[in-house]
Amino acid sequence: MQHDSIAVVDFGGQYAHLIATKVRRIGVHAVIRQPEDPLELFEGHKGIILSGSPALSSHGEDGDYTAGLLDRDTPMLGLCFGHQEIAKHYGGEVVHGGREWGKADLHIVKDHPLFKGLGPVEQVWMSHFDSVSALGEGFEELGYTTSHDGSPDHRFAAIGSDSLKRYGFQYHAEVDDTTNGDQMIGNFVLEICGATPSWTMEAFMEEEREKLRAQVGDESVFLLASGGVDSTVAAVVLKEALGSDRVNLLHVDNGMMRKDESANVLKLFERLGLGEHLNFVDASDDFLKALEGLVEPEAKRIAIGKTFVEVFAREAKRLGIEDHLLGQGTIYPDTVETGGTRRADTIKTHHNRVDVIERMIEEGKVVEPLAELYKVEVRELGETLGIAHEALWRHPFPGPGLGVRCLCSTGEPDTEDFDRLVPAATEAAAKFGLEALVLPIKSVGVKADLRAYEHPVLLSGDVPWETVLKAASSITAGILGINRCILNLGPEHPTVAHPVEGYMTRERLDLLREADHMVMEGLRRHGLYDEIWQCPTVLVPLALGDGEEGEMVVLRPIRSQRAMTATPVRFPDALLGELREGILGLEGVTGLAIDVTSKPPGTIEWE
Ligand code: XMP
């Protein structure tokens, strides 16, 4: 059957693929195109959507795409960078400034099909440095925004020209934090482009099965199976497509698993009928050796990824199946955050995207049935395959496991920018009735589609949760060099923090495992496990207070759908009380805090 389709032009924003997913969920096929693809590749589509980008439209960056692309006689919608490029192309002006991050209110000023079914004010989500400051002829303002951080109104948040069929949203309609973004994208696709929805998940699955059969041919697959949602669904998809005799599984204990995790995973695969071809290896010594003395997050991630491949190759040899293709449960965010699309920045190197695996992919030796999907779709696919709820709705757990939650330090404080950061953070926090302590370590985040390796700030004070969230968004948006805020849960208001030397050792991992176990048990006890999308527990080698010893634990409960954006979650007081008592009672832990940063600018994991 011939389906109507939309082309999504990937300018390298973190969410280009998310746009395509959203279009597909409306029931219209969507394909990703590169900006420099020849014009013929843009033919036959009902509409074109231009994505965001880490590039600055105001500086003319990345403006060298296929000539004539914007002049095509096809309806177009630009999002963020795409919006600015459309404005510029038709005589408008884009300036470096008018920065917004996080949620904002869109005030719709025109009754327009793009906003069919929506109210006069809609929550939208922003992440940009540049903005449109003037419109070209024939364009009109469809909406402006007011920000939640109290900054002045931002004009031209939504623009359009009905005669040209060109539209632009400064906000990211594709992320879940734009509450009715799906409806806005749907309105563009169905009302403006006139596409007919006929694309279903079943159609996608059917094609995926055929693709797998064609790719694998007569060969077999050896799948790295952590027991997480993705690798479990990947295992079942491969079994369905190829038959269980051609799918071998390898579960690796990398020493950075949760408490009792490997034993539980083995049981899970037995229950799924995948036990027969399951192999298990305890490779914790290999991983800890590879991580010895490492501190820098990317170095740690790369060491973990490489060790996975080494262990995989060794096990394949031991089992006499070296000729098998490497199977992985990679999902789309793993690729995009590693900078795996042509223009995207590397936010983090995911364990399944290190160089050696990239080379194997080029050689056609890697099979990844879920590489196009987001977590929410993986779960949907799992449900259609009849996989049990408990397996599908486990919290996501990253391949490098506790490795990205156990921060390491040489013991040297990182205070280079403190002359600027400390007064700025103190002043910004005081506006919300909070005290701020800039921490002399860094964690990974993402700002305007770029990796941000910056300082966290510890906030102390007794103000309502909503005020804490506002303070966090104001501090991280307003101060370059700060990407994360955490709220103190310990008894004192700490005024100094000093790093303690700590690397990836069994002892520290055991300590983190215990704290993590307490959090997971607490969530289950309070009936919150299913409500919360993910809750990393992080061990931070910082002692709070003068002359103190010990380390700090940070809780990171979040809500999300696709992991590309996330919102912090408040724990009930009773649970907080239990965790305070339990975690601060662990030997070696002297500080406790909860992360109150949305993603962006913080990422879900700290590294
Ligand atoms: P971040 O920290 O980038 O995480 O906001 C987004 C989601 O991805 C998970 N994550 C990983 N998953 N391999 C994985 O399989 C990795 O290297 C990796 N790094 C992060 C993270 O737990 C969250 O759900």
Side-chain angles (χ1 to χ4, degrees):
M1 178 183 176
Q2 201 55 26
H3 303 279
D4 280 350
S5 67
I6 298 289
V8 176
V9 187
D10 177 6
F11 280 102
Q14 292 294 305
Y15 312 116
H17 202 271
L18 190 46
I19 304 169
T21 312
K22 294 274 174 161
V23 173
R24 292 202 304 230
R25 290 175 82 77
I26 298 160
V28 176
H29 187 34
V31 294
I32 300 273
R33 295 278 180 248
Q34 297 304 316
E36 50 278 335
D37 281 343
L39 277 187
E40 305 89 83
L41 286 187
F42 294 95
E43 267 161 29
H45 299 294
K46 287 286 206 180
I48 295 177
I49 302 182
L50 310 176
S51 83
S53 167
L56 292 176
S57 176
S58 60
H59 290 41
E61 288 172 9
D62 264 359
D64 54 345
Y65 39 86
T66 298
L69 172 59
L70 291 190
D71 298 314
R72 288 198 58 82
D73 185 21
T74 312
M76 273 181 217
L77 171 68
L79 303 175
C80 198
F81 176 85
H83 156 84
Q84 296 157 7
E85 288 296 291
I86 287 180
K88 228 166 56 177
H89 188 76
Y90 291 97
E93 221 173 63
V94 175
V95 293
H96 190 54
R99 190 173 80 201
E100 291 169 283
W101 261 310
K103 291 172 191 163
D105 289 327
L106 172 74
H107 301 260
I108 297 167
V109 296
K110 166 126 201 232
D111 185 17
H112 194 275
L114 272 178
F115 300 122
K116 191 177 135 186
L118 303 182
V121 181
E122 288 289 333
Q123 177 182 298
V124 296
W125 190 88
M126 294 288 192
S127 175
H128 63 106
F129 286 111
D130 282 352
S131 55
V132 174
S133 58
L135 298 183
E137 219 181 294
F139 274 79
E140 59 183 333
E141 182 178 61
L142 303 177
Y144 66 91
T145 47
T146 50
S147 297
H148 285 190
D149 65 8
S151 53
D153 295 358
H154 295 261
R155 317 279 351 157
F156 311 126
I159 61 170
S161 161
D162 289 328
S163 56
L164 293 163
K165 292 232 176 303
R166 294 289 180 270
Y167 304 92
F169 297 155
Q170 177 56 72
Y171 49 91
H172 287 270
E174 71 277 26
V175 308
D176 297 319
D177 285 332
T178 294
T179 315
N180 287 313
D182 293 10
Q183 174 84 19
M184 296 181 198
I185 292 176
N187 285 342
F188 172 71
V189 171
L190 304 176
E191 304 292 323
I192 308 273
C193 303
T196 307
S198 62
W199 177 257
T200 61
M201 190 63 162
E202 281 72 25
F204 167 77
M205 268 173 50
E206 208 35 62
E207 286 182 14
E208 193 57 35
R209 244 183 232 130
E210 290 311 311
K211 256 203 276 184
L212 278 174
R213 288 183 185 147
Q215 186 195 351
V216 176
D218 297 334
E219 302 190 46
S220 296
V221 179
F222 194 20
L223 177 82
L224 278 169
S226 68
V229 180
D230 308 335
S231 61
T232 304
V233 174
V236 177
V237 169
L238 283 166
K239 186 179 109 171
E240 291 261 306
L242 307 173
S244 55
D245 284 348
R246 290 166 66 200
V247 186
N248 276 286
L249 307 181
L250 177 64
H251 177 71
V252 179
D253 180 353
N254 58 13
M256 296 172 285
M257 307 296 279
R258 292 198 143 126
K259 192 168 173 180
D260 303 329
E261 177 74 358
S262 285
N264 290 333
V265 168
L266 298 184
K267 279 189 223 145
L268 168 75
F269 279 116
E270 290 289 345
R271 282 202 298 281
L272 288 170
L274 290 160
E276 199 189 334
H277 299 282
L278 174 66
N279 305 281
F280 168 71
V281 58
D282 177 354
S284 50
D285 285 344
D286 298 81
F287 281 88
L288 293 185
K289 189 153 189 309
L291 286 160
E292 236 168 53
L294 296 185
V295 169
E296 208 280 316
E298 274 299 284
K300 286 166 66 186
R301 281 180 163 271
I302 288 166
I304 293 169
K306 280 189 176 149
T307 310
F308 264 118
V309 180
E310 281 161 23
V311 171
F312 170 84
R314 193 173 69 208
E315 285 305 297
K317 192 161 179 207
R318 189 177 65 80
L319 296 163
I321 53 172
E322 298 105 304
D323 56 337
H324 281 30
L325 301 170
L326 163 64
Q328 300 197 117
T330 310
I331 61 172
Y332 191 73
D334 300 339
T335 315
V336 74
E337 293 215 335
T338 306
T341 58
R342 208 177 301 171
R343 291 165 184 240
D345 191 38
T346 298
I347 309 300
K348 312 179 167 179
T349 301
H350 280 221
H351 71 291
N352 40 24
R353 278 290 174 272
V354 290
D355 284 354
V356 47
I357 292 184
E358 296 282 13
R359 278 200 298 280
M360 290 170 74
I361 292 174
E362 275 164 29
E363 291 162 11
K365 291 187 180 154
V366 180
V367 180
E368 298 181 319
L370 313 178
E372 292 287 306
L373 303 184
Y374 284 86
K375 188 76 76 188
V376 61
E377 292 162 337
V378 172
R379 286 180 164 145
E380 213 175 289
L381 180 60
E383 256 154 23
T384 63
L385 292 167
I387 300 175
H389 180 91
E390 44 147 332
L392 286 181
W393 290 91
R394 310 184 71 202
H395 285 188
F397 190 62
L402 300 180
V404 292
R405 299 177 180 176
C406 183
L407 271 60
C408 298
S409 169
T410 58
E412 278 302 305
D414 185 341
T415 54
E416 209 181 301
D417 283 338
F418 271 33
D419 286 351
R420 178 176 62 84
L421 296 181
V422 171
T426 308
E427 191 187 326
K431 285 191 194 140
F432 297 90
L434 289 160
E435 288 168 35
L437 178 64
V438 184
L439 300 177
I441 48 125
K442 284 179 176 161
S443 82
V444 178
V446 53
K447 283 184 172 177
D449 290 329
L450 294 167
R451 174 184 169 90
Y453 189 45
E454 299 180 341
H455 293 278
V457 167
L458 177 71
L459 299 172
S460 299
D462 193 13
V463 300
W465 177 255
E466 288 308 321
T467 308
V468 176
L469 295 189
K470 276 191 190 144
S473 92
S474 161
I475 292 170
T476 51
I479 309 174
L480 286 177
I482 291 175
N483 62 358
R484 208 178 271 283
C485 287
I486 59 180
L487 179 68
N488 181 37
L489 296 177
E492 308 287 336
H493 284 200
T495 50
V496 282
H498 60 93
V500 288
E501 190 174 4
Y503 302 96
M504 195 74 79
T505 56
R506 246 179 239 285
E507 295 67 39
R508 290 188 74 227
L509 284 163
D510 281 343
L511 180 59
L512 176 53
R513 246 186 289 274
E514 269 319 307
D516 174 69
H517 187 63
M518 283 178 184
V519 177
M520 289 300 119
E521 292 290 290
L523 288 181
R524 289 201 175 89
R525 225 174 21 250
H526 286 261
L528 291 171
Y529 186 87
D530 280 346
E531 220 179 277
I532 282 172
W533 200 77
Q534 196 176 9
C535 183
T537 297
V538 189
L539 186 64
V540 183
L542 273 181
L544 301 178
D546 257 336
E548 286 292 337
E549 293 298 319
E551 303 195 43
M552 187 178 179
V553 167
V554 180
L555 315 172
R556 174 72 166 137
I558 53 106
R559 283 211 177 85
S560 181
Q561 276 203 17
R562 291 177 178 79
M564 301 303 283
T565 62
T567 323
V569 179
R570 181 183 188 174
F571 275 170
D573 290 343
L575 173 57
L576 280 179
E578 289 160 22
L579 293 177
R580 238 185 229 120
E581 197 179 320
I583 295 177
L584 286 170
L586 288 171
E587 200 182 326
V589 178
T590 48
L592 182 65
I594 186 164
D595 196 328
V596 288
T597 325
S598 57
K599 172 182 179 178
T603 43
I604 297 173
E605 307 289 352
W606 273 45
E607 290 194 335

